[in-house]
Amino acid sequence: MKWGTMDISKYTAYFHDGSLIDIKNIDDTIEISLSSAEVDPEDLTDDIPLGEYDRINGILHLEGIKKITRNDLLFNGILKMERQSGEIHRFKIRDAVVELQIDWEDFKPKSQVNDFSTIIIEAEKIYWENKPDLVDPYW
Amino acid sequence: MIEIKSNDGYFRIGNYLDHRINDERHLSNIYNLPSMQRKKKEGVDETLPEDPFNDPNLEDITHPDAKGRGNHKFKDKRTGKELRFDEGDPQETGHEAHDHYHRPNPNSNGKKDYYFDNNGNPVPKGSDPSHLYRPEAVWWL
């Protein structure tokens, strides 16, 4: 495991009601910045430095993208933020497949948004880079 | 009774309904997994609907793409305020495992005051007090 990385798959339940902060595309790699919901440090079984407000913050790296579906349809475009931020309803990693269910939202200016996406990404390699100092501009 | 098959047979953990919390903690210890079965001090709200899907005061405004995903939004016809209902997934842990509600703050300026707690005070998104439960739903806490 790389320095600064950890097995995030056993902590994905903490991301329910957390935030999708950003999505970046670099060649056939996607980087997804995520912040968990509030975590009680006593629950953690690993030494994970938490960010502000007791959140697990970091970047999910997906290398060698094989397939993306959005709302059960094959997606061939560039995956990007559909709104300013996203509330995570579900985050799951199984083998090399990531599922994110996102309730999109706008903050500046605040507006009533009712958009929801289920994004499933299959990649050759997935790893988590813990970044406690990750900034969420909408706090 | 939970049974886990190991390489050399089965070993019993205990009665699931009576000892679910202890079992989950025990399993967490065995597999070095996070338990998330912590005590909840706040968030109980007896004014929450027992059955939001059949409450005549609530209009279901769930996005079509969220249907069947356990993520529901309702609008209170009397107040115009939104109420969110997240269906629990028993395969998961913590709040995600249990049915709960959220009351969005329509005047929030960001994520710090995004929801209301059970006393109507603004609280941050993802915070423990932002997860609201009916009294009978907190047996697990």
Side-chain angles (χ1 to χ4, degrees):
Chain A
M1 188 171 287
K2 287 184 183 180
W3 180 89
T5 65
M6 52 177 267
D7 179 9
I8 196 66
S9 61
K10 63 181 178 180
Y11 293 106
T12 52
Y14 288 93
F15 286 77
H16 171 72
D17 291 334
S19 296
L20 167 57
I21 298 171
D22 196 16
I23 301 174
K24 286 182 180 171
N25 292 264
I26 305 163
D27 298 327
D28 67 343
T29 296
I30 297 176
E31 296 178 354
I32 303 176
S33 299
L34 301 170
S35 178
S36 75
E38 183 181 15
V39 171
D40 185 338
E42 291 181 8
D43 289 342
L44 301 176
T45 57
D46 299 281
D47 182 19
I48 302 172
L50 298 178
E52 204 172 12
Y53 311 109
D54 289 334
R55 314 286 165 138
I56 299 173
N57 296 332
I59 300 174
L60 190 69
H61 296 258
L62 300 99
E63 296 180 353
I65 303 301
K66 293 180 176 176
K67 181 181 174 185
I68 301 174
T69 63
R70 182 184 173 281
N71 294 336
D72 301 323
L73 298 173
L74 187 63
F75 181 80
N76 291 314
I78 303 295
L79 196 64
K80 58 183 181 181
M81 296 293 286
E82 297 179 29
R83 296 282 184 163
Q84 292 172 353
S85 186
E87 179 167 307
I88 300 167
H89 178 64
R90 174 155 296 193
F91 172 35
K92 293 286 162 266
I93 302 176
R94 288 193 173 82
D95 299 322
V97 179
V98 172
E99 178 181 356
L100 281 164
Q101 292 182 12
I102 302 297
D103 197 356
W104 296 101
E105 52 203 358
D106 281 342
F107 288 95
K108 294 177 182 176
K110 183 180 173 66
S111 63
Q112 287 288 339
V113 174
N114 193 7
D115 284 343
F116 189 92
S117 303
T118 298
I119 300 163
I120 298 175
I121 308 171
E122 187 179 339
E124 290 176 2
K125 182 181 178 184
I126 298 170
Y127 65 93
W128 175 258
E129 176 188 4
N130 205 53
K131 290 196 72 165
D133 58 351
L134 188 71
V135 174
D136 183 339
Y138 300 106
W139 268 98
Chain B
M1 194 76 72
I2 294 177
E3 289 184 335
I4 296 178
K5 190 174 186 179
S6 63
N7 290 336
D8 55 354
Y10 292 90
F11 54 94
R12 294 180 297 183
I13 301 297
N15 182 281
Y16 184 75
L17 291 176
D18 291 345
H19 304 290
R20 177 171 172 173
I21 293 175
N22 287 334
D23 291 346
E24 290 188 3
R25 284 182 174 153
H26 185 49
L27 290 168
S28 298
N29 290 335
I30 291 173
Y31 295 108
N32 194 32
L33 295 172
S35 74
M36 292 185 70
Q37 289 295 349
R38 63 178 181 270
K39 53 289 168 189
K40 185 165 175 62
K41 308 181 192 98
E42 307 167 64
V44 178
D45 183 348
E46 61 186 18
T47 68
L48 291 167
E50 290 182 43
D51 179 1
F53 302 100
N54 292 299
D55 189 319
N57 295 315
L58 296 178
E59 176 189 0
D60 189 343
I61 57 169
T62 306
H63 190 277
D65 290 327
K67 299 275 187 188
R69 312 273 191 195
N71 176 280
H72 306 275
K73 292 183 180 179
F74 297 93
K75 182 178 178 181
D76 190 316
K77 296 173 185 173
R78 298 161 297 185
T79 65
K81 290 183 177 174
E82 187 181 319
L83 181 67
R84 298 185 183 180
F85 175 65
D86 291 342
E87 284 181 51
D89 180 348
Q91 303 293 320
E92 297 300 335
T93 56
H95 294 296
E96 193 174 10
H98 306 279
D99 292 353
H100 62 267
Y101 292 85
H102 295 285
R103 292 190 191 277
N105 173 4
N107 299 314
S108 69
N109 292 310
K111 297 183 182 180
K112 277 183 185 168
D113 58 353
Y114 194 77
Y115 286 123
F116 289 124
D117 67 8
N118 59 329
N119 294 313
N121 300 312
V123 292
K125 175 192 279 287
S127 64
D128 205 35
S130 72
H131 295 80
L132 304 176
Y133 292 84
R134 283 200 43 86
E136 65 273 16
V138 292
W139 60 269
W140 59 283
L141 299 163

